[in-house]
């Protein structure tokens, strides 16, 4: 299935100097395929824009058009990994394997929340 080709086009390309990144809308044409893996898109975009580290490329929000064959999403290319870690949300860093997910149980989170509710008006229990 991976041997079938896909065409990547970018539009609304913008250089965002404040966040040290390039941002754009990604259009992927993939006739004969259900969809394209984000890792594959990251690699192709990194080659397309001459990025040294593929970890600086983030692709998200991909929606497949009704009937298939075309997907649209959003892409970001950061100048370096440190800037990406600074500005990207934690869940996206976890998806790109740049951060580790915190393994706390649901019950622990709820118990902490309920303990802090009891401490109204006082300094709250240390949040981590």
């Amino acid at each position: 299935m991976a041997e079938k080709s896909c065409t990547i086009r970018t539009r609304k390309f913008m250089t965002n100097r404040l966040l040290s990144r390039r941002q754009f809308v990604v259009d992927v044409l993939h006739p004969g395929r259900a969809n394209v893996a984000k890792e594959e898109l990251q690699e192709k975009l990194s080659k397309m824009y001459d990025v040294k580290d593929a970890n600086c490329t983030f692709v998200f929000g991909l929606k497949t058009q009704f009937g298939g064959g075309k997907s649209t999403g959003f892409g970001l290319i950061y100048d370096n990994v440190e800037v990406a870690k600074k500005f990207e949300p934690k869940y996206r860093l976890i998806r790109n394997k740049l951060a580790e997910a915190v393994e706390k149980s649901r019950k622990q989170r709820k118990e902490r929340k309920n303990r802090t509710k009891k401490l109204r008006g006082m300094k709250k229990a240390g949040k981590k």
Side-chain angles (χ1 to χ4, degrees), residues 14 28 80:
M14 179 177 142
V28 186
N80 55 44

Side-chain angles (χ1 to χ4, degrees), residues 32 37 42 55 71 73 76 79 85-86 92 94 100 102 107-108 114 126:
Q42 278 182 323
N55 286 331
S71 298
L76 304 171
D79 293 347
K85 285 183 178 179
K86 182 178 177 185
R92 263 192 242 146
I94 292 168
E100 287 292 318
V102 178
K107 188 171 183 180
Q108 282 178 327
N114 290 329

Side-chain angles (χ1 to χ4, degrees), residues 112 116 123-128:
R112 165 168 271 150
T116 58
K123 187 177 178 184
K124 302 285 184 185
K127 283 198 166 192
K128 290 185 182 178

Side-chain angles (χ1 to χ4, degrees), residues 12-127:
K12 295 187 180 178
F13 189 90
M14 179 177 142
T15 303
N16 190 335
R17 287 289 102 212
L18 289 174
L19 298 175
S20 302
R21 71 184 184 194
R22 294 171 273 180
Q23 53 196 48
F24 44 85
V25 174
V26 182
D27 290 327
V28 186
L29 299 172
H30 48 90
R33 288 176 77 169
N35 53 21
V36 184
K38 287 181 191 172
E39 289 81 25
E40 187 180 337
L41 290 176
Q42 278 182 323
E43 290 171 15
K44 288 192 176 189
L45 285 168
S46 297
K47 288 177 188 169
M48 211 161 132
Y49 288 105
D50 297 324
V51 179
K52 291 165 184 64
D53 191 2
N55 286 331
C56 296
T57 309
F58 292 82
V59 180
F60 58 95
L62 290 169
K63 301 271 189 233
T64 306
Q65 195 178 43
F66 181 75
K70 182 180 177 186
S71 298
T72 304
F74 202 73
L76 304 171
I77 299 176
Y78 284 93
D79 293 347
N80 55 44
V81 178
E82 290 78 33
V83 177
K85 285 183 178 179
K86 182 178 177 185
F87 291 119
E88 275 297 291
K90 191 160 185 184
Y91 75 94
R92 263 192 242 146
L93 292 174
I94 292 168
R95 282 183 192 170
N96 272 30
K97 296 167 187 67
L98 292 176
E100 287 292 318
V102 178
E103 295 295 326
K104 281 192 178 177
S105 70
R106 180 181 168 93
K107 188 171 183 180
Q108 282 178 327
R109 287 194 306 263
K110 284 177 168 272
E111 286 173 353
R112 165 168 271 150
K113 174 190 64 105
N114 290 329
R115 277 198 308 271
T116 58
K117 279 174 25 180
K118 291 176 190 170
L119 297 173
R120 185 175 181 277
M122 293 184 263
K123 187 177 178 184
K124 302 285 184 185
K127 283 198 166 192

